[in-house]
Amino acid sequence: METFGTYLVKLLRAYDVDTVFGIPGVHTIELYRGLPGSGIRHVTPRHEQGAGFMADGYARASGKPGVCFIITGPGLTNVATAVAQAYADSVPMLVISGVNALGDMGSGEGFLHELPDQRQLMKQITAFSHTILKIEELEWVMARAFAVFSAARPRPVHIEIPIDLMAKDASGLPAPRRAPPPLKPAPHAAAVRQIAGLAGECSSPLIIAGGGAAEAAIPLRALAEALDAPVMMTVNGRGLLPAGHPLAVPCTPSLSGCAELVACSDLVIAVGTELGPTDFDPYGTGRPTINGRLVRIDIDAEQAMRGNRADMTLISDSAVALSALSEAVAPAGSRNGAQRAAQARDTVRRGLDRMMAAGLRLLESVLEALPDAIIVGDSTQPAYAGCLSYAAPRPRLWFCSSTGYGTLGYALPAAIGAAIGVPDRPVICVIGDGGIQFTLAELGSAVDAETPLVVLLWNNCGYGEIKTHMRAQGVEPLGVDIQTPDFKLIAHAYDWEYLRLDPAQPLALLLRNATQARQRIVIEVNESEFLAASG
């Protein structure tokens, strides 16, 4: 008999799903019946939050939706933080969970894992949350989910299945099939011509590109070069113009140098970005002022109406819109774009304080050693430095959790997911001693998954950033000096290699050797020693 659970697995395979992250439970056993021999790999984290972060890292690195199987009740509340991070950063994630049986859910009678309303909980942090009430619904609910991932703002989707439906006979359902994806939204030709006209009249254009343009690197470059316009990339947009391109400005817009570039531009084209505070004003110093005309390109009509008011708005897929614009604009000749970009970059670098300069050097050592590596950052000092001014060579090679929802403990499981999603690239996890203790047990998950990984562990013996902020605000530090474990013993307990970095050692060589040997290694970097060696 074909059960509903086995049918669901076949339907996922029809959508090219190759990996599922989850912890089996009594309420999801039927989802696992069809996994053996399906061609879908199952990866077991140590905590459902780890499953969500792995799915997030898998999606950001590969561009494909990350998929989780999650048990009813506590499994869902555990994964919720990871789903919220993905929601804030527009990451495609499919969470399939159990829910109590029809007639039992939400009864208040005290059934195992019962919540008053699981769907309403998840509705706050997903594009949509749907409860399957009859097995015939699944095909079109799945089609809706993948339509969100392919042709809308790609946020998480939650589908919950009552446990009594999972084992139902699904033999009468049509063969599992993938619904044809909807066409991506495209801009009106008249609007494209109008923007091209604005571009022809301007003398100092600027493009601001965010994570929503991750698949638009080629037309973005064509448009930037035609306009001779600097391209300022948000944290999630890094690499859209490669490191070293004369028009690339891989820097936080509110920093001195970047804010002036924004203010002095008479046309700003913002594509795939919310223009939100965690990108544009992370330290509360004030968002850059846009004095010129503003054109916004966004796939989400509602989001395009938030924040900065645009003179023109295109509701469109970024790649489609930028391709149309690059064909419509006439090459402008020199507008001093490279000079304006270089001035902004140089001003930002000169303005970095000692901590941020050291953190950036750490990341650039990774880039020097492994230019194709994926760097996954947590909320930790080197990741903050990367948010300010790390120049990734390509899209999807740099991401972190310190923007948007801003979780701790993200980087280790997300790096495991990235390594599974893109197994032919080295993956470097950059995480602090405080953050790693949120998800420390996922070291074991990497061993189970046979995933090579380098963890650069930035150790300042506590919550260093919060301690610094407390002092700056005149608050006596409290609760920030936590017990720091012996990470060498922990690494060896999980069958990882371990090395404490001597600042005199060439980190680039260590990284190359570790990745060539396909090691799982924790490289501990003592903050004070690294700062002292950095001058």
Side-chain angles (χ1 to χ4, degrees), residues 185 210-216 219 271-273 297-299 316-324:
E215 299 300 320
V271 54
T273 173
I297 301 171
D298 203 298
I299 203 166
S316 173
D317 174 79
S318 294
V320 175
L322 291 173
S323 295

Side-chain angles (χ1 to χ4, degrees), residues 12-23:
L12 288 175
R13 196 71 191 103
Y15 280 94
D16 296 326
V17 171
D18 56 27
T19 306
V20 166
F21 303 93
I23 301 175

Side-chain angles (χ1 to χ4, degrees), residues 4 7-12 14-15 94 96 128 130-149 157 159-161 165 170-182:
F4 186 53
Y7 179 87
L8 181 146
V9 169
K10 289 180 179 179
L11 186 56
L12 288 175
Y15 280 94
L94 178 59
I96 298 173
F128 71 85
H130 185 96
T131 306
I132 299 290
L133 298 178
K134 52 186 180 180
I135 63 175
E136 293 80 8
E137 288 181 274
L138 181 64
E139 181 180 2
W140 291 108
V141 175
M142 196 71 75
R144 285 173 56 204
F146 279 84
V148 168
F149 302 149
V157 168
I159 300 172
E160 62 179 14
I161 304 169
L165 290 189
S171 303
L173 295 180
R177 56 178 181 162
R178 178 177 187 159

